[in-house]
Amino acid sequence: MQRHVYTPRGACAQVWSERGSEVLVSGPAGTGKSRACLEKLMLMAVLNPHMRGLIVRKTLASLGSTALVTWREKVIVDLTESDCYFFGGSSQEAPQYRFSNGSTITIGGMDKATKIMSSEYDVAYVQEATELTKDDWESITTRLRNGRVSFQQLMADCNPDMPTHWLKLRADEGLTKLLESTHEDNPTLFDDHGLVTDTGAEYIEKLDRLTGVRYLRLRKGI
């Protein structure tokens, strides 16, 4: 494995230290939420032989152009095929990434949950968790019992939704730890001194052109 460098900040760093059973990172678009969760998932797989992880979204199709792009191009990019390789699935098993130490990261969607829900996991990562139903969420928690890691965890990210959303209410009740990320958490958008980068300025300008609820959610994180 080549040297892999990733330095999270703000809420993206907080998610790394969380050991609770449920942790959610909420914030506007482009704050690095997904990468933080995926980097943690990868490190757990590398450090804990035979760990079982899960990357899941409401639909499997939506993962291909979102989380899995970040996973391949940013997170496991420095791993060789002997360190980690992709298994396309079979009639018995869901598609998954297999590590040389016996750890696996399964991928799937809750729209076709039969294969992924038949297994046990140590950690699951849900992208854009507001798409899920409460039943989806609770069903995933019941599968976190593989016991290869000292803690079993459901971690997730999302863009903010309405304050009455079941996931926000779950956080208000103390069942889910809520962390709020900002654009300053993303080192590609802001440098270590809090100054916007060229890439950041271009991206923030795009978000500033949004209107209405979309602007409030994806630019302001409301």
Side-chain angles (χ1 to χ4, degrees):
M1 181 174 67
Q2 301 181 53
R3 185 169 181 264
H4 182 69
V5 178
Y6 170 69
T7 307
R9 296 196 303 227
C12 292
Q14 284 181 268
V15 73
W16 275 57
S17 62
E18 284 295 330
R19 297 294 182 268
S21 60
E22 299 180 18
V23 57
L24 171 67
V25 188
S26 174
T31 61
K33 306 181 295 296
S34 295
R35 184 172 180 186
C37 293
L38 290 169
E39 290 276 2
K40 178 178 177 178
L41 186 63
M42 185 270 286
L43 186 62
M44 290 176 67
V46 170
L47 296 181
N48 298 278
H50 302 287
M51 187 212 83
R52 294 182 60 85
L54 173 67
I55 300 174
V56 63
R57 193 165 173 172
K58 184 61 177 180
T59 67
L60 176 59
S62 61
L63 276 179
S65 60
T66 54
L68 294 183
V69 173
T70 302
W71 174 256
R72 292 190 303 267
E73 297 182 359
K74 302 290 186 181
V75 180
I76 63 168
V77 63
D78 295 318
L79 298 180
T80 66
E81 190 169 346
S82 61
D83 297 321
C84 175
Y85 69 93
F86 179 67
F87 167 70
S90 67
S91 58
Q92 289 79 35
E93 295 184 271
Q96 58 191 243
Y97 285 85
R98 293 178 169 177
F99 291 75
S100 58
N101 65 355
S103 293
T104 59
I105 304 293
T106 297
I107 61 174
M110 294 306 292
D111 57 333
K112 298 179 181 178
T114 303
K115 287 184 182 179
I116 63 173
M117 296 304 290
S118 64
S119 298
E120 297 178 354
Y121 305 98
D122 295 282
V123 59
Y125 161 56
V126 178
Q127 187 181 48
E128 202 53 53
T130 50
E131 296 174 346
L132 268 60
T133 66
K134 189 175 181 179
D135 285 345
D136 290 334
W137 182 272
E138 292 186 349
S139 293
I140 295 172
T141 66
T142 67
R143 312 314 301 168
L144 299 175
R145 58 188 190 194
N146 194 48
R148 290 287 182 169
V149 183
S150 60
F151 63 97
Q152 311 285 280
Q153 185 175 79
L154 172 52
M155 60 179 172
D157 66 34
C158 71
N159 298 130
D161 206 294
M162 54 189 173
T164 56
H165 191 280
W166 67 264
L167 195 49
K168 177 61 166 63
L169 298 179
R170 192 174 182 86
D172 291 343
E173 294 169 6
L175 298 174
T176 303
K177 175 72 172 182
L178 177 62
L179 306 174
E180 297 188 51
S181 65
T182 67
H183 288 113
E184 286 75 11
D185 292 344
N186 190 338
T188 64
L189 303 184
F190 287 83
D191 65 21
D192 291 338
H193 303 289
L195 301 176
V196 66
T197 63
D198 291 341
T199 299
E202 182 179 353
Y203 184 67
I204 295 297
E205 183 181 358
K206 290 179 181 178
L207 295 181
D208 281 337
R209 295 196 193 107
L210 299 175
T211 59
V213 173
R214 186 176 293 107
Y215 172 79
L216 295 177
R217 293 181 66 223
L218 302 184
R219 174 64 178 96
K220 294 299 185 179
I222 298 174

